[in-house]
Amino acid sequence: MGTKASKLPKDLLSEYQELTFLTKQEILLAHKRYNELLAGEDRHLPSPRVPMSKILTLPELKSNPFRKRICYVFSTSELRDGSLTFEDFLDLLSAFSDSATLEIKSHYAFRIFDFDDDGTLDPGDLEMLVNCLTGDTEDTRLTPEEMRQLINNILEESDIDKDGTVNLSEFQHVISRSPDFVSSFKIVL
Amino acid sequence: MDNVDGAFLSRRVVAVNNPLLDQLPSYQTLLYRRKSSGSSSTKRRRVSRGRYGSTSSGGGTQDVRGKCAYGRTQDGPSRSTTEHRLARELPLNMAEKRRHKLQLYRDLSGWKQWRSSAGHYLKRMREEGSVVFSSMQLWRTDIHLIEGMFGTGILSYFSFLRFLVLLNFMMFLLIFSFVILPVIVAKRTLFLTVYVFVCMCSEIECSVYPPRSRQGLVVFHQYITDLLSGTGFLEQTYLFYGSYMVESIQFPSFSYSVPIAYLLCTIAYLLLSLLWIVKRYSSVCSVCVSDSFCNKIFAAWDCCITNENAARLKHKSLLYELKTDLEEERIRQKIAERSRQEKCRIYTLRFTLNLFVICVLAACFYAIYIATIFSQQIQAQVKCTCASQQYTFIVALIFEYLPSIVITMANFITPIIFTIIISFEDYSPAFEIRFTLLRCVFMRLASIGVLLFSLWSQIRCPETDCPCGYNKKLYPCWETHVGQEMYKLLIFDFLIIGAVTLFVEFPRKILVNHCDYALVKWLGQQEFAIPHNVLEIIYGQTICWIGAFYCPLLPAINTIKYYLVFYIKKVTLVNNCRPASRPFRASSSTFFFLAVLLIGLVLATVPIIVMSNTHTHTLSTGYCAHYSEHDSVSNTHTHTHTHTHTLSTGYCAHYSNTHTHTHTLSTGYCAHYSEHDSVSNTHTLSTVYCAHYSEHDSVSNTHTHTHTHTHTHTHTHRVLATVPIIVSMTQ
């Protein structure tokens, strides 16, 4: 399961093809890009990890406001530092690929938006989400009044059991009716 | 940790926790869709959900495992089918898996094997075909560039433009293959062989008929006038209705009725447009258009964005959009809380403002009406006196184009008035935009209607002195005339688009970039306003639909026009414009474009139907009053006589008077007077344009006689118009 050689073994490649939504070319390209990020000495470890700071230099993730969340969600590191193995990286690309199903996309989207990892989108998560969307600086934020109004609106539309939070099935239900989601939740290397 | 695991329980448990969600019909459809997508994803090649296992096999925190547990439990039931599917799908790519597939195939019956392999083959073919097709698409790279720079809203405008180019081209092909080509072929063979087809009357006369009495030394600028207004040398070309005065073409085995083909073609291209629009419409509507906040928040970020500048812009536009939406919501709440007194005040205000809008519209329509009538009268005057020298070139051109100019002015001024007015009416911002747009649409499309109406009122004449049902004196072939008007509108529209880009938007950009005045800065760079741009091209398309009946080559001209407009708009977008501050969503904009286009199509159909119905006379008597009932032609000679003349007017009605015959031919322009008393002094009439009176009784006996003679000879359907000339020559 290692990426010791810079060339991907054939059987591994086919296995990846089976297990992800990516095509052969996409996997090979991903492998090439991943190896570029990997430091020289790490290449000889059994399952090397690329630290998050390096992953974030990819132009595809660089301007994404959720880049850190994406790394945390797809990382299998026990240190929770957002570092990715090659297989994590493939998982990421697979979820964001064109042919991934809506179900998988919405599942990962939910986890990305769930900033405190508690399994529901509560008002705090939603506020962070909106702040990510409008920009980081102070002057690009909505006023507290506007924010409260916006969160109330979102909850009114999506919180069906009225418990004040959005859970996964509620989220997937809302997403399934959103025409723009599938086209926007997409990263192509 | 309990909390975490609870959150990622299987869907069924969640559903039980959430009985409300389960009851929602939309949730049921979602479940259904999941199920069906699960089974239909057989079509996908590399479907696998088993990879959750491999993800967690690398080890991880409890948290991660909990999440993966969700994936596993959910996929548990469908796992076996997935394995099955996988084995069937993957060998397409992998040599190792091919063996596996064969093994699996052995388990299947022969029929199923064959069916699945055939299915794979077909699917592969289709995919390859679609790849080839998409690479052949018009402007693919241009459109991708625009998408990357300006987003999907503006992209939808350009793909709409592409759709119109294709539609026009198809319309042109239709008309060309069924009307234009047969006529051209027939006319060519006319010179090669003997008259193959019936009553190609205009041909000889047309060769005599000079472009609007311009002979000898023609000043160069007159060619420009002709080119711009479709008169003169253009009038006799295949551009206009008048050239299709062929009754039927006699092929060796069958006869091809041109009028019927013409009429069917018109119906066909209108139907084609309708079906095509509806098809596009349905593909847009299948995506449920949702305007909710959830759609805006959860699907807000376009993860494809790789450009930092674009990302910054996206942040800004998202902030703006959210703010305006919230503002709108607040306004809506305020509206709901209005007191009765306030309501009263607002309704009266709206009422008066609407009255004012109606007044503005009426004034515009009246101006168009007056301008059309005036322009028509000037044109008629110029025709009658052959005194185009009376006006200078520019003035004459302005008179010709007066209706187009007035319409364009009205379309330029009224939107400005409307946007000012709407701010007083106190609607919610989104409704303001829609309502202004609605008024503009009405203005644009109704102005064409008014133009047609005023033209129609000129063409029609009182019943008493009108034997043919229309003003033949001024409009010998009114269909050609309407075609010319539409041609002028189309050309003018194109010129305006080009001129605005070149002389307004470009200087503005330079000013903004190089001047520091406050006013200039306030004005800012041009915004690419999608609704108005779309309205502009839909207006052109409506003209094309109306005009295609009278000017069969108009779709071809329109194709070329839109082809050029695409590049003009692309250049101005990339160089002169900044993206609109209020983004126009792709899903809603496509819907809007097609809705307006549909209105345009309906509007275009109405005049064609009305005109062809109320004037079945001119229609059925032929292209420019020729196509007549055969029996009446063969039976009564006086009738045939009349038909000849109705036909030949416009091109040249001829003198049957033998005295002046040579003279007339040389001027090539005049009238056939069947009226007896006026025959004697035809000299004075030679310059006067074509008055043809068809009072049959007053036709001289000898005349009728000669006609009788020739007709029996030619068996009624032979080049009717040549007959009198030949006859008079022999005399």
Side-chain angles (χ1 to χ4, degrees):
Chain A
M1 274 280 196
T3 42
K4 279 177 193 166
S6 59
K7 202 167 177 293
L8 206 59
K10 221 174 187 182
D11 53 336
L12 210 56
L13 180 64
S14 68
E15 194 184 11
Y16 287 146
Q17 267 183 294
E18 193 179 349
L19 301 180
T20 64
F21 289 102
L22 304 170
T23 63
K24 193 174 164 188
Q25 283 80 10
E26 282 168 333
I27 292 172
L28 290 175
L29 180 65
H31 189 249
K32 188 168 155 269
R33 295 289 292 275
Y34 186 82
N35 274 341
E36 281 166 11
L37 294 175
L38 210 58
E41 62 271 24
D42 287 349
R43 272 182 209 166
H44 306 293
L45 294 174
S47 64
R49 292 184 168 275
V50 171
M52 184 167 78
S53 55
K54 276 208 168 166
I55 291 284
L56 295 185
T57 57
L58 284 172
E60 286 78 12
L61 283 171
K62 209 172 176 180
S63 42
N64 195 319
F66 304 109
R67 52 189 179 270
K68 285 188 181 164
R69 279 301 304 165
I70 292 173
C71 283
Y72 282 130
V73 165
F74 287 95
S75 168
T76 54
S77 159
E78 287 179 39
L79 302 168
R80 299 177 53 78
D81 57 357
S83 60
L84 298 182
T85 63
F86 178 59
E87 283 170 12
D88 297 342
F89 189 58
L90 280 187
D91 266 333
L92 190 158
L93 291 176
S94 168
F96 279 100
S97 83
D98 234 347
S99 45
T101 60
L102 176 66
E103 208 175 335
I104 284 173
K105 278 179 184 286
S106 56
H107 174 90
Y108 279 109
F110 182 80
R111 281 174 56 182
I112 289 167
F113 296 156
D114 184 13
F115 284 86
D116 51 9
D117 285 324
D118 66 349
T120 57
L121 299 186
D122 49 33
D125 290 327
L126 291 177
E127 187 173 339
M128 281 170 91
L129 166 60
V130 174
N131 280 339
C132 274
L133 287 174
T134 55
D136 304 326
T137 53
E138 201 59 50
D139 57 322
T140 58
R141 286 200 184 149
L142 296 174
T143 61
E145 170 64 28
E146 283 170 330
M147 184 65 82
R148 204 168 49 244
Q149 195 192 346
L150 180 62
I151 288 170
N152 282 340
N153 281 325
I154 294 170
L155 287 177
E156 208 168 287
E157 280 170 23
S158 56
D159 184 19
I160 290 151
D161 58 3
K162 301 291 171 210
D163 61 352
T165 58
V166 184
N167 61 34
L168 179 62
S169 49
E170 284 167 346
F171 181 78
Q172 287 186 327
H173 172 243
V174 165
I175 284 297
S176 71
R177 300 197 306 169
S178 154
D180 302 324
F181 177 72
V182 174
S183 60
S184 67
F185 199 75
K186 193 167 75 180
I187 292 177
V188 179
L189 273 187
Chain B
M1 211 35 93
D2 275 356
N3 189 13
V4 174
D5 281 331
F8 293 103
L9 282 175
S10 79
R11 192 203 319 144
R12 225 167 283 112
V13 179
V14 175
V16 170
N17 284 344
N18 232 346
L20 288 166
L21 190 63
D22 222 14
Q23 284 165 18
L24 273 181
S26 51
Y27 188 69
Q28 294 299 328
T29 47
L30 171 64
L31 289 182
Y32 175 76
R33 255 194 231 164
R34 271 187 206 167
K35 246 180 250 160
S36 61
S37 80
S39 60
S40 71
S41 60
T42 2
K43 288 172 193 157
R44 287 179 196 287
R45 281 184 195 168
R46 293 156 295 272
V47 173
S48 162
R49 289 162 183 171
R51 73 184 195 287
Y52 292 103
S54 76
T55 319
S56 63
S57 73
T61 57
Q62 271 289 70
D63 184 32
V64 174
R65 270 202 200 119
K67 284 170 188 175
C68 294
Y70 165 78
R72 259 193 218 134
T73 38
Q74 195 184 1
D75 293 314
S78 62
R79 185 123 198 189
S80 58
T81 54
T82 320
E83 292 289 341
H84 193 71
R85 194 188 309 146
L86 270 175
R88 223 166 50 184
E89 291 286 330
L90 277 159
L92 284 171
N93 302 313
M94 306 297 301
E96 288 95 335
K97 296 287 166 185
R98 198 162 288 132
R99 220 176 13 181
H100 189 48
K101 181 189 80 173
L102 283 174
Q103 207 170 3
L104 238 145
Y105 264 150
R106 249 168 257 144
D107 301 341
L108 290 170
S109 68
W111 163 246
K112 272 186 183 165
Q113 277 181 25
W114 181 83
R115 206 176 54 175
S116 73
S117 64
H120 284 317
Y121 184 70
L122 275 179
K123 200 167 76 72
R124 229 176 342 173
M125 291 299 282
R126 211 168 23 209
E127 272 173 9
E128 271 165 30
S130 71
V131 165
V132 170
F133 184 73
S134 69
S135 68
M136 268 163 51
Q137 249 180 341
L138 189 62
W139 298 322
R140 211 167 58 97
T141 47
D142 295 277
I143 281 182
H144 271 292
L145 181 82
I146 290 163
E147 185 186 20
M149 284 175 79
F150 294 95
T152 45
I154 284 177
L155 169 84
S156 63
Y157 167 80
F158 283 92
S159 59
F160 183 68
L161 197 57
R162 180 173 64 186
F163 160 66
L164 284 185
V165 167
L166 287 180
L167 179 68
N168 279 309
F169 188 66
M170 290 312 288
M171 276 166 66
F172 164 69
L173 278 188
L174 199 71
I175 296 175
F176 182 78
S177 49
F178 288 108
V179 177
I180 301 175
L181 199 64
V183 171
I184 289 176
V185 167
K187 285 199 179 183
R188 290 283 165 246
T189 46
L190 173 75
F191 293 114
L192 296 174
T193 63
V194 205
Y195 306 131
V196 193
F197 61 98
V198 199
C199 69
M200 229 347 284
C201 5
S202 65
E203 189 61 37
I204 288 166
E205 287 155 9
C206 283
S207 56
V208 180
Y209 166 63
R212 251 227 221 143
S213 77
R214 274 175 214 139
Q215 266 200 332
L217 201 67
V218 176
V219 193
F220 173 69
H221 64 63
Q222 276 178 338
Y223 282 116
I224 299 176
T225 318
D226 288 345
L227 197 67
L228 287 178
S229 53
T231 51
F233 71 93
L234 270 181
E235 198 169 299
Q236 320 162 11
T237 56
Y238 290 104
L239 199 57
F240 295 111
Y241 191 91
S243 315
Y244 301 89
M245 298 200 290
V246 182
E247 189 175 299
S248 69
I249 301 165
Q250 213 73 46
F251 286 107
S253 52
F254 63 96
S255 90
Y256 187 83
S257 173
V258 176
I260 289 175
Y262 202 100
L263 209 68
L264 286 181
C265 249
T266 309
I267 295 168
Y269 76 68
L270 288 175
L271 266 182
L272 172 85
S273 320
L274 181 71
L275 289 179
W276 206 340
I277 292 171
V278 168
K279 190 180 154 275
R280 265 183 82 100
Y281 211 76
S282 64
S283 68
V284 170
C285 287
S286 67
V287 180
C288 37
V289 179
S290 133
D291 221 19
S292 68
F293 280 102
C294 284
N295 183 27
K296 273 171 198 149
I297 294 296
F298 295 140
W301 192 261
D302 204 343
C303 295
C304 308
I305 292 178
T306 54
N307 187 335
E308 295 220 5
N309 215 7
R312 203 160 41 237
L313 212 77
K314 182 85 183 166
H315 278 305
K316 227 164 83 182
S317 75
L318 275 173
L319 181 72
Y320 181 83
E321 199 183 347
L322 286 177
K323 272 186 187 282
T324 48
D325 283 339
L326 290 170
E327 173 87 27
E328 197 168 303
E329 174 132 330
R330 274 201 293 273
I331 286 171
R332 214 176 289 145
Q333 270 173 2
K334 218 164 44 184
I335 287 170
E337 289 161 5
R338 256 181 213 150
S339 69
R340 184 173 294 173
Q341 202 181 357
E342 204 148 325
K343 267 185 193 165
C344 244
R345 193 185 63 82
I346 281 178
Y347 283 132
T348 43
L349 187 71
R350 280 181 195 172
F351 182 71
T352 42
L353 284 176
N354 270 311
L355 270 186
F356 179 68
V357 167
I358 290 171
C359 289
V360 169
L361 287 178
C364 287
F365 293 155
Y366 187 67
I368 293 168
Y369 179 76
I370 292 290
T372 315
I373 302 266
F374 180 71
S375 155
Q376 293 302 313
Q377 278 164 357
I378 292 286
Q379 281 177 44
Q381 203 184 325
V382 168
K383 260 185 202 167
C384 281
T385 53
C386 298
S388 52
Q389 264 64 34
Q390 191 181 325
Y391 303 107
T392 58
F393 161 60
I394 294 292
V395 176
L397 202 63
I398 287 175
F399 281 148
E400 285 253 330
Y401 268 89
L402 204 58
S404 314
I405 293 170
V406 171
I407 287 178
T408 310
M409 291 267 280
N411 282 327
F412 179 72
I413 294 168
T414 47
I416 298 174
I417 298 176
F418 291 158
T419 38
I420 295 170
I421 283 177
I422 201 90
S423 59
F424 294 107
E425 285 182 275
D426 212 9
Y427 292 116
S428 69
F431 188 73
E432 265 183 22
I433 292 173
R434 255 175 253 157
F435 201 53
T436 320
L437 217 56
L438 203 71
R439 283 175 177 164
C440 294
V441 169
F442 181 73
M443 176 66 213
R444 277 263 177 184
L445 298 184
S447 55
I448 306 174
V450 171
L451 175 77
L452 279 179
F453 173 77
S454 21
L455 265 182
W456 189 232
S457 72
Q458 282 291 99
I459 289 163
R460 212 177 38 206
C461 58
E463 299 283 319
T464 47
D465 56 329
C466 230
C468 1
Y470 62 92
N471 197 341
K472 185 165 277 171
K473 198 170 147 201
L474 278 176
Y475 307 104
C477 178
W478 64 269
E479 286 91 346
T480 295
H481 195 78
V482 174
Q484 278 172 350
E485 286 301 319
M486 292 296 132
Y487 175 82
K488 270 189 265 182
L489 275 181
L490 202 72
I491 297 286
F492 192 72
D493 188 44
F494 178 63
L495 291 180
I496 284 294
I497 290 175
V500 164
T501 307
L502 204 63
F503 300 117
V504 178
E505 290 175 359
F506 187 57
R508 184 170 164 180
K509 154 94 175 171
I510 291 178
L511 265 182
V512 169
N513 277 5
H514 297 285
C515 283
D516 283 333
Y517 297 115
L519 181 72
V520 174
K521 280 281 169 252
W522 173 77
L523 215 69
Q525 215 168 316
Q526 176 85 25
E527 252 184 39
F528 194 80
I530 298 173
H532 289 279
N533 276 300
V534 166
L535 216 55
E536 205 171 64
I537 57 173
I538 287 175
Y539 164 78
Q541 186 57 40
T542 310
I543 292 172
C544 176
W545 273 322
I546 298 173
F549 184 71
Y550 306 105
C551 175
L553 278 175
L554 215 56
I557 297 171
N558 212 26
T559 309
I560 298 166
K561 178 187 150 187
Y562 283 158
Y563 190 80
L564 295 176
V565 164
F566 183 91
Y567 286 105
I568 292 176
K569 288 291 173 193
K570 190 193 150 200
V571 165
T572 182
L573 178 69
V574 173
N575 295 324
N576 300 343
C577 291
R578 64 191 158 102
S581 50
R582 194 187 162 85
F584 214 71
R585 274 178 181 272
S587 45
S588 62
S589 58
T590 335
F591 189 77
F592 160 75
F593 301 163
L594 291 172
V596 178
L597 192 65
L598 215 56
I599 297 172
L601 180 64
V602 170
L603 189 103
T605 330
V606 170
I608 291 178
I609 291 173
V610 168
M611 280 187 172
S612 50
N613 274 344
T614 54
H615 260 242
T616 32
H617 183 74
T618 38
L619 246 188
S620 67
T621 38
Y623 288 104
C624 280
H626 175 66
Y627 181 35
S628 57
E629 303 96 56
H630 293 249
D631 15 75
S632 70
V633 173
S634 49
N635 286 341
T636 49
H637 297 295
T638 35
H639 256 205
T640 22
H641 188 92
T642 336
H643 283 303
T644 332
H645 294 306
T646 36
L647 219 192
S648 51
T649 44
Y651 293 89
C652 123
H654 43 80
Y655 279 89
S656 26
N657 191 310
T658 33
H659 280 276
T660 45
H661 181 72
T662 40
H663 180 80
T664 354
L665 266 186
S666 58
T667 26
Y669 193 70
C670 37
H672 174 102
Y673 263 69
S674 329
E675 246 177 278
H676 235 319
D677 26 50
S678 49
V679 168
S680 47
N681 49 352
T682 22
H683 262 292
T684 47
L685 281 165
S686 55
T687 46
V688 179
Y689 180 71
C690 68
H692 169 254
Y693 300 111
S694 41
E695 282 134 61
H696 311 308
D697 337 291
S698 56
V699 175
S700 78
N701 278 334
T702 46
H703 251 94
T704 342
H705 216 82
T706 45
H707 277 256
T708 320
H709 182 73
T710 37
H711 281 313
T712 44
H713 198 72
T714 53
H715 287 293
T716 63
H717 311 277
R718 295 258 163 164
V719 200
L720 288 185
T722 57
V723 169
I725 297 171
I726 298 164
V727 168
S728 36
M729 277 175 156
T730 50
Q731 279 173 353

